[in-house]
Amino acid sequence: MRLRLPEERPTEPPTGYKIAHPVLSQDGTRAGFTGVSLGGALPYAVLDEARCVYGLRHRAPHRRCDCGFHCVHDRAEAEALLCTGEHRAAVLLEVAVLGAYIRFERGFRYARQRVRTMTVGACACGASAAALADAGWGRPGWRVLQASCAGCVRGRTSLSLAAFARLAGEGLRVRAASGAEAPPADLGVSELVAEAALLQARLDWFQSRLARLENGGPKR
């Protein structure tokens, strides 16, 4: 006698939340995601089907394997994962759970998914993200991207948030989490000279005050 799991037939796909790293293909023609743990070796598209990470031929999710996409029920629980040091550069995904799935207390393991929304955190400098730039590491054939403000992109390979959404396709929505305002990057020479003159004037005033104190203060 085989144990059969209870079956669910929802009228709408369940919603889940997970974190991942956005990726860009080496030739710059495709965009997707890579997982932060077990599935990190298999980048996936916005709409994709899970494959067994161990190379086995069974369909995911298999009851006797841990293959398949993974997500949690609670958005706050997924956001909490972004607090750890190794996941600070990851993004938050809201996904639709498609196909067969196995429900757990904290989330799902499932066969197919559609990424509905990607929320990008702030740049490493604290400013709001304006682009996704090369993070300096990746997978074979894929560059991992991370949030960057306009001032920190510099010469790195990058995509605007809108460009990443268009390249990923399938109606993906991309949002930027709130951050500090980026510092002005267009100061001219005259503004810099004025700032330097003000700092020098303050330094001269402090030096004069220090000299008077060293000489015993003002004479009466």
Side-chain angles (χ1 to χ4, degrees), residues 36 47 59 121 133 140 143 168 201 209:
V36 297
L47 178 62
R59 297 179 62 183
R143 292 187 179 92
R209 295 285 295 177

Side-chain angles (χ1 to χ4, degrees), residues 3 10 12 33 36 53 55 78 87 100 105 107 110-111 127 144 154 158 184 200 214:
L3 177 65
E12 295 183 358
F33 306 94
V36 297
V53 294
H87 297 153
E105 180 181 0
Y110 50 103
V144 171
R154 305 184 190 278
S158 64
Q200 186 62 51
E214 288 177 345

Side-chain angles (χ1 to χ4, degrees), residues 60-74:
H62 196 276
R63 286 174 53 193
R64 296 182 180 179
C65 185
D66 52 7
C67 60
F69 291 123
H70 295 71
C71 72
V72 295
H73 300 303
D74 188 6

Side-chain angles (χ1 to χ4, degrees), residues 19 26 43-44 49 130 133-134 167 178 184:
I19 63 173
Q26 183 179 2
Y44 55 89
E49 186 169 346
D134 190 346
L167 197 59
S178 59

Side-chain angles (χ1 to χ4, degrees), residues 166-188:
R166 288 194 300 270
L167 197 59
E170 298 292 343
L172 175 69
R173 299 189 300 272
V174 179
R175 300 171 179 169
S178 59
E181 291 188 6
D186 56 348
L187 288 178

Side-chain angles (χ1 to χ4, degrees), residues 132-192:
L132 293 167
D134 190 346
W137 64 282
R139 309 293 185 193
W142 296 89
R143 292 187 179 92
V144 171
L145 306 177
Q146 67 180 24
S148 178
C149 67
C152 293
V153 168
R154 305 184 190 278
R156 291 182 293 167
T157 300
S158 64
L159 288 174
S160 69
L161 302 187
F164 183 90
R166 288 194 300 270
L167 197 59
E170 298 292 343
L172 175 69
R173 299 189 300 272
V174 179
R175 300 171 179 169
S178 59
E181 291 188 6
D186 56 348
L187 288 178
V189 175
S190 58
E191 288 86 355
L192 293 175

Side-chain angles (χ1 to χ4, degrees), residues 43-51 69 98 111-115:
Y44 55 89
V46 172
L47 178 62
D48 214 336
E49 186 169 346
R51 303 180 298 279
F69 291 123
L98 306 174
R112 299 178 66 239
Q113 75 176 4
R114 178 188 295 275
V115 181

